[in-house]
Amino acid sequence: MTGTAAVDGDVVDVVCLGESMVTFLPSRPGRLADVPSFARTIGGAESNVACALAAAGHAVKWVSRVGADGFGDHLIAAVAAYGVDTSGVRRDANRPTGIYFRTATDRATDAHEVLYYRAGSAASAMSPTNVPHEDLDGARVLHLSGITAALSPECLGLMRVLTARRAGRPLVSFDVNHRPGLWREDPAVLLDLARGADVVFVGEDEAEEAWGLRGAAAIRSALPEPAVLVVKQGAQGAVAYTRPARPARTPCASEADVADVAGHPEDTVTHVPAPRVDVVAAVGAGDAFAAGFLSATLRGLPVEARLRHGHLTAAATLTVAGDLGTPPPTAYADRLAALDDERWGTLHLGPGWTAADQAMEEVRTS
């Protein structure tokens, strides 16, 4: 797969389907009960990926449902401001736009609090019958996440349809994104959905929590079907399992993107350590990683470069307070991704590192 932004209205690099919400970030650290005010922003796994990909120059469409309310107006305008096509977002006069509040602490700590107000939201009503095929057709990649499957039985039904293997479908990218607070079903359902995808992203920690699987190799054993499996290992980095390629079986997928699992049982295993990052907030980093990896995939880069671009895009989000960071300019990211192993291993990124196309020596390597 090659190229970046579409040259006409009929070509879309990536369609991202899922709920986005208006997010309220605290004005200071502390319990939600003690925070006096909040700043309004946006958040949602799939729209985060869409915005990051659009900021990187790709033609991206976001498909969802929002309420016919002011928060819905804000979401559509905010996502569109990144250059994302929002024509696939439907308005629902009977259901509200979802919102949520969170504390400033790391999601992994016991002090982290999140309050979702998304039950019965417009997006939770997405189903196989009300998401038009024309909103999804023609994309080179369809990006989904397990969060959508957790919103309602109707959304789960939609996800089953979209991850079913069929001729002519786009390359399907699936981020497991297990959220225990949302999930009503057996989380093994997420494993079933992931098996239908071509590219899967999953955190080592969430695979253990959801499925009792320990270690990247065990995850790959449970998920042999995807042509590409990326296991994220936090600050330790990420490992990609890729299968030897076969000729494309869909109009959009290249021989580098789709593999014949039955005919080529061997994996190529590629591990790339994460750079050292001065973390401001961890929320949204997984979405950013997926965007960076998919961007490099669309550009036909090798697997190691895809993982490095995933790490760099994640670092852009880790070094800001909100769910969305500004990706580094492509040429700048390419230079960093091309560092030799020694210099990559000493890369140190802090707040503001993506602000300009800096000279190489301006990035700390220590």
Side-chain angles (χ1 to χ4, degrees):
M1 303 175 76
T2 59
T4 53
V7 295
D8 60 62
D10 296 326
V11 179
V12 178
D13 288 333
V14 185
V15 167
C16 298
L17 179 146
E19 181 173 36
S20 188
M21 294 171 289
V22 173
T23 308
F24 290 92
L25 302 179
S27 58
R28 70 183 190 195
R31 300 184 311 151
L32 288 178
D34 301 327
V35 174
S37 60
F38 297 81
R40 183 185 66 177
T41 181
I42 63 172
E46 300 83 4
S47 62
N48 287 347
V49 173
C51 291
L53 283 167
H58 297 284
V60 188
K61 185 175 185 178
W62 172 46
V63 175
S64 189
R65 293 174 71 86
V66 300
D69 50 34
F71 286 146
D73 294 341
H74 174 64
L75 269 178
I76 291 175
V79 174
Y82 280 85
V84 176
D85 178 356
T86 58
S87 62
V89 181
R90 300 296 191 264
R91 308 301 294 263
D92 190 324
N94 300 313
R95 297 177 179 85
T97 303
I99 64 174
Y100 80 98
F101 297 78
R102 67 173 174 85
T103 54
T105 50
D106 190 322
R107 178 181 281 158
T109 69
D110 292 338
H112 186 69
E113 298 175 72
V114 179
L115 287 180
Y116 289 107
Y117 297 91
R118 70 196 307 179
S121 69
S124 71
M126 288 189 295
S127 74
T129 61
N130 65 15
V131 175
H133 289 292
E134 56 266 28
D135 287 338
L136 308 176
D137 290 343
R140 300 165 70 192
V141 176
L142 172 62
H143 180 71
L144 310 167
S145 95
I147 293 174
T148 303
L151 298 180
S152 68
E154 293 78 14
C155 283
L156 176 56
L158 174 62
M159 293 292 289
R160 290 190 188 279
V161 170
L162 296 179
T163 56
R165 296 189 180 275
R166 60 179 176 81
R169 75 174 192 179
L171 186 80
V172 175
S173 165
F174 181 75
D175 192 337
V176 172
N177 255 327
H178 177 236
R179 296 289 183 268
L182 292 175
W183 202 245
R184 303 177 184 87
E185 305 282 342
D186 182 343
V189 172
L190 289 172
L191 199 60
D192 292 337
L193 295 175
R195 287 182 175 128
D198 300 299
V199 180
V200 172
F201 302 94
V202 63
E204 207 168 47
D205 55 348
E206 67 180 336
E208 182 172 359
E209 181 178 29
W211 308 321
L213 299 172
R214 294 188 177 184
I219 298 168
R220 183 50 159 172
S221 294
L223 275 173
E225 295 87 354
V228 179
L229 171 67
V230 178
V231 180
K232 297 171 290 182
Q233 300 169 314
Q236 301 305 308
V239 59
Y241 292 84
T242 55
R243 299 202 184 276
R246 67 166 187 174
R249 62 171 171 76
T250 71
C252 72
S254 77
E255 62 181 28
D257 299 311
V258 179
D260 186 339
V261 172
H264 300 284
E266 314 87 5
D267 266 325
T268 297
V269 183
T270 307
H271 178 267
V272 170
R276 182 180 171 192
V277 178
D278 296 334
V279 177
V280 174
V283 179
D287 307 327
F289 182 97
F293 187 94
L294 291 174
S295 176
T297 299
L298 286 161
R299 296 169 59 207
L301 299 183
V303 173
E304 182 181 37
R306 299 180 195 187
L307 289 168
R308 287 190 173 192
H309 277 276
H311 286 315
L312 291 169
T313 310
T317 292
L318 287 167
T319 49
V320 299
D323 287 20
L324 284 165
T326 301
T330 300
Y332 179 34
D334 283 343
R335 292 205 302 273
L336 293 179
L339 290 172
D340 60 40
D341 288 346
E342 182 179 358
R343 293 196 69 193
W344 175 265
T346 59
L347 199 60
H348 185 178
L349 305 171
W353 75 273
T354 66
D357 190 354
Q358 307 171 57
M360 291 295 294
E361 59 268 22
E362 291 178 350
V363 178
R364 287 179 289 167
T365 52
S366 60

